Amino acid sequence: MKLHANIIGQGEPLLILHGFLGMGDNWKTLGKQFAEEGYQVHLIDQRNHGRSPHSEEFSYAILAKDIKNYCREHNLNKVVLMGHSMGGKTAMKTAVSYPELIKDLVVVDIAPRYYEPHHQTILEGLTMLADAKLTSRQDADKKLAEFIDDWGVRQFLLKNLFRKDNVLKLRVNLPVLKSKIENVGAALEEGELFEGSALFINGGNSNYVRSNDRDLIRKYFPSSQLVTIKDAGHWIHAEKPEVFYQAVLRYLNR
């Protein structure tokens, strides 16, 4: 499977993996900033997301293999791999499975433990959009507001819409993501280990990484460091982009 990616800049490879129901373009602004620092930034759409191919298969072992194959296709070695939420899970699985590929690992607001499915309302809303055959983004936002109050979350989700035959359709492979929702929260397996350099960044207002997750993170990533960004929730890179950017740069330039 050939993953779609937007590649920005020249230099050391930095691969960025979006979260559940996202796409690489969500990171375009930060991607351009990292490119200005001398990185070749790869904003990757993971399978069943964005412009990457759809598939009946969806697990972190498969997503990690996708990243390995992407690196091989683009002749990339010793990459910086950064992922947010679901993308962070993929990044962790890639690191423990193919440690030779990774120079530095950055995991954003997610831990190696199991997370119960918690996107049901969002998936219901997107299913309604997929069935409604809408032609206006404004109408789509109104419909989605019946399920999701938060304007910012709706705008993030509406980025999945594209126009085909004058009807708005979704880029995400909704049927497979709904059927494989348990896999999205999967934990790393017992005994998996990445001894290389790793940075875990969490939002001070987020409940995705709890204080008792720190020992678990160090169990799988013994050389990791943890940074908490105050007054930030799960979407640290969107809520506190400059603070987040500087924290990652300090780590990479250490």
Side-chain angles (χ1 to χ4, degrees):
M1 174 178 289
K2 276 197 170 188
L3 298 179
H4 176 272
N6 183 9
I7 302 173
I8 308 169
Q10 295 294 326
E12 186 178 354
L14 165 59
L15 280 56
I16 301 182
L17 305 177
H18 59 81
F20 186 58
L21 303 173
M23 62 186 72
D25 278 0
N26 299 146
W27 284 80
K28 190 177 283 185
T29 301
L30 276 166
K32 288 178 180 176
Q33 288 182 265
F34 284 114
E36 289 168 5
E37 288 290 330
Y39 290 92
Q40 183 185 67
V41 180
H42 297 248
L43 303 177
I44 295 173
D45 291 349
Q46 298 186 79
R47 72 166 60 202
N48 294 319
H49 289 76
R51 290 176 170 83
S52 281
H54 288 187
S55 161
E56 293 297 316
E57 297 179 299
F58 193 78
S59 71
Y60 287 113
I62 289 164
L63 296 179
K65 193 171 182 181
D66 285 345
I67 300 306
K68 181 193 79 166
N69 291 339
Y70 181 89
C71 289
R72 181 186 297 161
E73 177 193 347
H74 292 270
N75 295 314
L76 303 177
N77 282 301
K78 294 297 180 184
V79 306
V80 178
L81 182 59
M82 178 160 63
H84 170 247
S85 200
M86 183 194 86
K89 289 267 193 182
T90 303
M92 286 189 278
K93 189 68 173 182
T94 304
V96 300
S97 303
Y98 312 106
E100 70 282 357
L101 288 177
I102 310 298
K103 179 191 174 194
D104 290 308
L105 177 70
V106 181
V107 178
V108 185
D109 211 56
I110 201 78
R113 63 176 166 85
Y114 169 74
Y115 291 76
E116 290 188 0
H118 53 280
H119 299 94
Q120 287 89 334
T121 303
I122 286 175
L123 292 172
E124 285 176 28
L126 289 177
T127 300
M128 178 275 302
L129 287 189
D131 294 339
K133 296 183 178 177
L134 299 169
T135 58
S136 156
R137 286 178 178 271
Q138 190 175 10
D139 288 345
D141 186 43
K142 284 181 183 176
K143 288 278 189 186
L144 201 55
E146 297 171 15
F147 294 83
I148 300 158
D149 292 333
D150 190 303
W151 181 87
V153 172
R154 293 202 307 275
Q155 299 317 298
F156 162 74
L157 294 169
L158 291 170
K159 287 183 180 179
N160 282 294
L161 291 174
F162 72 104
R163 196 172 295 278
K164 184 177 180 182
D165 301 327
N166 204 36
V167 174
L168 292 173
K169 296 182 180 292
L170 290 170
R171 292 199 186 279
V172 289
N173 186 354
L174 205 53
V176 166
L177 295 179
K178 286 165 66 176
S179 69
K180 304 284 188 180
I181 191 65
E182 275 285 342
N183 294 354
V184 175
L188 285 182
E189 294 176 25
E190 191 66 32
E192 292 187 311
L193 186 71
F194 176 70
E195 296 184 290
S197 167
L199 172 68
F200 282 73
I201 302 181
N202 68 295
N205 295 340
S206 171
N207 61 1
Y208 274 73
V209 179
R210 304 184 294 234
S211 57
N212 59 355
D213 288 327
R214 291 175 176 263
D215 289 340
L216 184 68
I217 288 168
R218 292 201 173 96
K219 174 184 172 183
Y220 291 98
F221 302 91
S223 299
S224 62
Q225 54 179 284
L226 287 81
V227 171
T228 298
I229 294 182
K230 291 180 181 178
D231 301 320
H234 185 53
W235 302 92
I236 309 168
H237 54 291
E239 296 173 37
K240 297 283 184 180
E242 186 58 27
V243 179
F244 174 83
Y245 175 67
Q246 293 299 334
V248 175
L249 271 191
R250 279 194 299 274
Y251 167 68
L252 296 179
N253 294 335
R254 69 198 182 284

